[in-house]
Amino acid sequence: MKVIAFHGSPRTGGNTEILLHETLRGIDAAAHDVRLFSLNLMNIRPCQNCGGCDETGCCIIEDEMGPIYDAIRSADRIILASPIFFFGLSAQTKAMVDRCQAFWCEKYLLKKTIPEGPWGRKGLLLLVGGMKREVGVHCSETTAQAFFRTISVPHHPTLSFLGVDAKGAIREHPTALRDAAEAGEKLVAEQGYAG
Ligand SMILES: Cc1cc2nc3c(=O)[nH]c(=O)nc-3n(C[C@H](O)[C@H](O)[C@H](O)COP(=O)(O)O)c2cc1C
């Protein structure tokens, strides 16, 4: 399977990155084609709402979204990992998500969904928040759901951890790392939804 993962935190070695690495540890890299995008290190301009993708489903901005578009199109499994910032996805994550407006045009205006491979298309959302307020998960989840459906991913479980603030504090959580590894294993173990 082709697995792609988006790391949306600016904090290197932070909680989101630790959680994402545990998830990827649950995925046998020898058996699967795994590709990680560290969004904070990439040149991704925010969507300009220029209408350039309306009639083609292709974004006209030339930056590092190019390889991401290709990767999303051919992926069997897509992991979106973000810290909760101001009750939503991080800006790094949201910029990439907004640029998927090109896929929105392709799907809803041009009526073309991304075809799925033999394993179907499935997502996984990982969230970490420093506060203990569920509203951050709900807001992030709503945006992530729009992202996944737009890129023709019909199902995605969500793994969220709240009250995890200091850098690396996720390691102290009683179940987070195990939960993440298990979510990774499950992500590639399950068969496609088409049967
Ligand atoms: C700009 C900013 C905004 C934040 N807003 C929230 C928030 O709304 N809700 C929350 O639970 N935590 C919030 N936090 C805390 C982070 O979610 C928390 O520190 C998290 O562990 C960061 O993950 P990371 O180490 O992967 O960057 C915020 C942190 C920053 C820097």
Side-chain angles (χ1 to χ4, degrees), residues 5-7 11-27 34-38 79 81 126 170-171 176-178 180-182 184-185:
F6 296 106
H7 173 224
R11 190 153 68 169
T12 304
N15 298 314
T16 310
E17 189 171 38
I18 292 167
L19 203 59
L20 179 55
H21 280 161
E22 285 303 306
T23 305
L24 295 178
R25 262 167 32 97
I27 297 172
V34 181
R35 191 163 175 197
L36 172 66
F37 293 97
S38 296
I79 304 170
L126 304 176
I170 195 84
R171 292 192 194 282
L177 302 189
R178 195 172 63 243
E182 284 175 5
E185 281 171 34

Side-chain angles (χ1 to χ4, degrees), residues 7 9-11 13-17 83-88 128-133 136 162-168:
H7 173 224
S9 171
R11 190 153 68 169
N15 298 314
T16 310
E17 189 171 38
I84 297 170
F85 282 180
F86 280 82
F87 301 108
V128 186
M131 298 163 69
K132 290 188 176 167
R133 293 187 57 186
L162 291 174
V164 179
D165 202 15
K167 184 174 176 177

